[in-house]
Coordinates of all heavy atoms in Angstrom, one line a residue:
C7 N -2.3 3.1 4.4 CA -3.7 3.0 4.8 C -3.9 3.5 6.2 O -3.1 4.3 6.6 CB -4.2 1.6 4.6 SG -3.5 0.4 5.7
L8 N -4.9 3.1 6.9 CA -5.2 3.7 8.2 C -4.4 2.9 9.3 O -3.7 3.5 10.1 CB -6.7 3.7 8.5 CG -7.2 4.2 9.8 CD1 -6.8 5.7 10.0 CD2 -8.7 4.1 10.0
G9 N -4.6 1.6 9.4 CA -4.0 0.9 10.5 C -2.7 0.2 10.1 O -2.0 -0.3 11.0
N10 N -2.3 0.1 8.8 CA -1.2 -0.7 8.4 C -1.2 -2.2 8.8 O -0.2 -2.8 9.1 CB 0.2 -0.1 8.8 CG 1.4 -0.6 8.1 OD1 2.5 -0.7 8.6 ND2 1.2 -1.1 6.8
I11 N -2.5 -2.7 8.9 CA -2.6 -4.1 9.2 C -3.4 -4.9 8.1 O -3.3 -6.1 8.0 CB -3.1 -4.4 10.6 CG1 -4.5 -3.8 10.8 CG2 -2.1 -4.1 11.7 CD1 -5.1 -4.2 12.1
C12 N -4.3 -4.2 7.4 CA -5.1 -4.8 6.4 C -4.7 -4.5 4.9 O -4.2 -5.4 4.2 CB -6.6 -4.5 6.6 SG -7.3 -5.0 8.2
R13 N -4.9 -3.3 4.5 CA -4.8 -3.0 3.1 C -3.3 -2.7 2.7 O -2.9 -3.3 1.7 CB -5.6 -1.8 2.7 CG -7.1 -2.0 2.8 CD -7.9 -0.7 2.7 NE -7.7 0.0 4.0 CZ -8.3 1.2 4.2 NH1 -9.0 1.8 3.3 NH2 -8.1 1.8 5.4
S14 N -2.7 -1.8 3.4 CA -1.3 -1.5 2.9 C -0.3 -2.6 3.1 O 0.6 -2.8 2.2 CB -0.8 -0.2 3.5 OG -0.7 -0.2 4.9
P15 N -0.4 -3.5 4.1 CA 0.5 -4.7 4.1 C 0.2 -5.6 2.9 O 1.2 -6.2 2.3 CB 0.1 -5.4 5.4 CG -0.5 -4.4 6.2 CD -1.2 -3.5 5.3
G40 N 0.8 3.1 8.2 CA -0.5 3.5 8.5 C -0.5 4.9 9.1 O 0.4 5.3 9.8
W44 N -2.4 2.8 16.2 CA -2.9 1.8 17.1 C -2.2 0.5 17.1 O -2.2 -0.2 18.0 CB -4.4 1.6 16.9 CG -5.2 2.9 16.8 CD1 -5.6 3.7 17.8 CD2 -5.6 3.5 15.6 NE1 -6.3 4.8 17.3 CE2 -6.3 4.7 15.9 CE3 -5.5 3.1 14.2 CZ2 -6.9 5.5 15.0 CZ3 -6.1 4.0 13.3 CH2 -6.8 5.1 13.7
H45 N -1.8 0.1 15.9 CA -1.3 -1.3 15.7 C 0.2 -1.4 15.5 O 0.7 -2.4 15.0 CB -2.0 -1.9 14.5 CG -3.5 -2.0 14.7 ND1 -4.1 -3.0 15.5 CD2 -4.5 -1.2 14.3 CE1 -5.4 -2.8 15.5 NE2 -5.7 -1.7 14.8
D51 N -3.2 -8.2 9.8 CA -4.4 -8.9 10.2 C -4.4 -10.3 9.6 O -4.0 -10.6 8.5 CB -5.6 -8.1 9.6 CG -7.0 -8.7 10.0 OD1 -7.4 -9.7 9.5 OD2 -7.6 -8.0 10.9
M87 N -4.6 4.4 0.1 CA -5.7 3.5 -0.2 C -7.1 4.2 -0.4 O -7.9 3.8 -1.1 CB -5.8 2.4 0.8 CG -4.6 1.5 0.9 SD -4.3 0.6 -0.6 CE -2.5 0.9 -0.8
D88 N -7.3 5.3 0.4 CA -8.6 6.0 0.3 C -8.4 7.5 0.5 O -7.3 8.0 0.9 CB -9.6 5.4 1.3 CG -9.2 5.5 2.7 OD1 -8.4 6.5 3.1 OD2 -9.5 4.6 3.5
N91 N -7.3 8.9 4.1 CA -5.9 8.8 4.4 C -5.1 9.7 3.4 O -4.0 10.2 3.8 CB -5.4 7.4 4.3 CG -5.9 6.6 5.5 OD1 -5.5 6.9 6.6 ND2 -6.9 5.7 5.3
P123 N -11.6 -0.1 -0.2 CA -12.4 0.0 1.0 C -11.8 -0.7 2.2 O -11.1 -1.7 2.0 CB -13.8 -0.7 0.6 CG -13.4 -1.6 -0.5 CD -12.2 -1.0 -1.2
D124 N -12.0 -0.1 3.4 CA -11.4 -0.7 4.6 C -12.2 -2.0 4.9 O -13.4 -2.0 5.2 CB -11.6 0.3 5.7 CG -11.0 -0.2 7.0 OD1 -10.6 -1.3 7.1 OD2 -11.0 0.7 8.0
P125 N -11.5 -3.2 4.9 CA -12.2 -4.4 5.1 C -12.2 -4.9 6.6 O -12.7 -5.9 6.9 CB -11.3 -5.4 4.3 CG -9.9 -4.9 4.5 CD -10.0 -3.4 4.6
Y126 N -11.7 -4.0 7.5 CA -11.4 -4.4 8.8 C -12.7 -4.9 9.5 O -12.6 -6.0 10.2 CB -10.8 -3.2 9.6 CG -10.3 -3.6 11.0 CD1 -9.3 -4.5 11.2 CD2 -10.8 -2.9 12.1 CE1 -8.8 -4.8 12.5 CE2 -10.3 -3.1 13.4 CZ -9.3 -4.1 13.6 OH -8.9 -4.3 14.8
Y127 N -13.8 -4.2 9.4 CA -15.0 -4.6 10.1 C -16.0 -5.4 9.3 O -17.0 -5.8 9.8 CB -15.7 -3.3 10.6 CG -14.9 -2.6 11.6 CD1 -14.3 -1.4 11.3 CD2 -14.8 -3.1 12.9 CE1 -13.5 -0.7 12.2 CE2 -14.0 -2.4 13.9 CZ -13.4 -1.2 13.5 OH -12.6 -0.5 14.4
Ligands
4NP201 P1 -6.3 -0.9 7.4 O1 -7.6 -1.4 8.2 O2 -6.3 0.6 7.4 O3 -6.6 -1.4 6.0 O4 -5.1 -1.5 8.0 C1 -7.8 -0.9 9.5 C2 -7.2 -1.6 10.6 C3 -7.5 -1.2 11.9 C4 -8.3 -0.1 12.1 C5 -8.8 0.6 11.1 C6 -8.6 0.2 9.8 N1 -8.5 0.3 13.5 O5 -9.3 1.2 13.7 O6 -8.0 -0.3 14.4

Side-chain angles (χ1 to χ4, degrees):
C7 64
L8 181 59
N10 193 211
I11 56 169
C12 297
R13 292 166 290 177
S14 61
W44 313 282
H45 297 282
D51 187 283
M87 297 301 135
D88 60 31
N91 287 294
D124 183 352
Y126 188 60
Y127 294 107

